[in-house]
Amino acid sequence: MRILIAAGLIGLGLTAATAEAATLDRIKASGTITLGYRTDAEPFSYESPIGEAAGYSVALCKAIAAGIKAELGLDTLEVRYLPVKDEGSFAELLTGKVDLVCGATTQTLARRELVDFSLPTFVTGSTLLYRQDGPRSFEELAGQKIGVRAGTTTETELKEALAEQQFQAELVTVDSHEQGVADLAAGRLGAYFGDGAILLYQWRKSPDADRLMVSGHLYSHEPYALPLPKGDSDFRLAVDRVLAGLYRGGIEQVFTASFGTGAEPSTLVQALYLIHALPE
């Protein structure tokens, strides 16, 4: 029995070693890295008016690609971009179509059963966007329609909270944050529920910004990180090395370029950068 167990462990060890080397070896052999990105999670990950991947998370991934190019000693590295769909399914990552997902992905224990994650990249929380002449709190939303982006952890948490508190409100899912903000401004929703950083960005650029307001209360904790292949510790270390380096210096420029001049990281985000600025 002990011999069989030992043999099994050796087999597992060989499988793990192969998996760990897979992504970097593939990148080196092919001279390409494929980054998955969301087209509709502005300002973290979106498609620019000229059709290019853009946003805070995409900028981090571009820096990671440059770091991996240097680490592997490559003269050139082609960076390919592939739009990904549902933030929580990770289909393109699990099937090997992308090497890294650059979105607005909340790291959860359930998701870590499927994929691994980089060092944290941002921290925010869910909150409400409302009309200044409409309901301004959850209590005032009884009997109202609450909008939320479909397929997000925010949708799951909101469903659970409404059921747990037996709160009578209609949950309406939308395909994009832009649609949710427009429906709210048009009076089709009593409030729109979403990630605080995204809502703040959407509010600032909305043509109805003077009639809307973001609540100052956070209803959840959303730690963002970059999903990557499960069990590939060498690749994860390469990713984390670049992020830690940025947090030690350079992340300020990435933040300003992504969120706009005058925007500053919150105290929580500043603490995230400080804690995860790991030394070499």
Side-chain angles (χ1 to χ4, degrees):
M1 180 64 71
R2 289 181 180 176
I3 293 174
L4 291 174
I5 292 175
L9 290 175
I10 291 171
L12 289 173
L14 291 173
T15 301
T18 302
E20 287 175 359
T23 307
L24 290 177
D25 282 352
R26 186 170 63 250
I27 291 171
K28 187 171 185 177
S30 66
T32 64
I33 182 171
T34 305
L35 306 177
Y37 72 102
R38 292 299 300 264
T39 62
D40 52 5
E42 194 175 5
F44 292 94
S45 180
Y46 62 99
E47 195 166 273
S48 73
I50 60 174
E52 294 182 346
Y56 174 80
S57 298
V58 173
L60 295 180
C61 285
K62 288 180 179 179
I64 289 167
I68 288 176
K69 174 187 172 184
E71 180 174 327
L72 295 178
L74 299 175
D75 293 330
T76 60
L77 178 63
E78 180 185 357
V79 182
R80 297 175 179 174
Y81 298 91
L82 182 70
V84 296
K85 298 178 181 178
D86 184 1
E87 196 73 72
S89 71
F90 309 115
E92 294 84 356
L93 185 61
L94 293 171
T95 56
K97 292 181 179 179
V98 301
D99 301 307
L100 187 65
V101 177
C102 319
T105 310
T106 300
Q107 180 177 189
T108 68
L109 294 175
R111 288 176 171 180
R112 283 174 59 185
E113 294 179 357
L114 300 173
V115 298
D116 281 342
F117 286 88
S118 69
L119 290 175
T121 57
F122 203 84
V123 61
T124 182
S126 300
T127 191
L128 288 170
L129 182 67
Y130 56 82
R131 292 190 309 278
Q132 295 196 29
D133 62 351
R136 298 192 176 195
S137 67
F138 254 112
E139 291 72 22
E140 296 177 13
L141 284 169
Q144 299 275 332
K145 292 182 179 180
I146 305 175
V148 65
R149 172 72 193 275
T152 61
T153 54
T154 305
E155 178 192 6
T156 302
E157 291 167 354
L158 184 55
K159 283 181 179 178
E160 292 173 351
L162 294 178
E164 182 179 341
Q165 299 175 23
Q166 297 184 338
F167 191 82
Q168 298 302 312
E170 182 181 349
L171 190 62
V172 179
T173 58
V174 297
D175 294 330
S176 70
H177 294 297
E178 288 81 2
Q179 179 188 340
V181 175
D183 288 349
L184 172 64
R188 292 187 288 270
L189 298 173
Y192 184 64
F193 198 72
D195 168 275
I198 291 178
L199 290 187
L200 187 63
Y201 185 87
Q202 293 290 339
W203 168 57
R204 286 175 173 170
K205 74 169 193 173
S206 171
D208 300 294
D210 59 337
R211 299 194 297 112
L212 304 175
M213 185 58 65
V214 178
S215 171
H217 182 76
L218 294 181
Y219 297 93
S220 71
H221 172 60
E222 305 283 342
Y224 286 179
L226 306 176
L228 43 81
K230 190 172 180 64
D232 197 334
S233 59
D234 287 346
F235 182 56
R236 182 172 62 181
L237 179 59
V239 169
D240 288 347
R241 177 173 284 117
V242 175
L243 291 176
L246 280 174
Y247 298 163
R248 293 194 300 270
I251 193 62
E252 298 83 2
Q253 290 80 0
V254 175
F255 190 95
T256 300
S258 304
F259 294 95
T261 303
E264 296 183 356
S266 67
T267 302
L268 279 176
V269 173
Q270 291 180 46
L272 180 150
Y273 294 153
L274 179 64
I275 293 169
H276 296 287
L278 307 178
E280 284 290 342

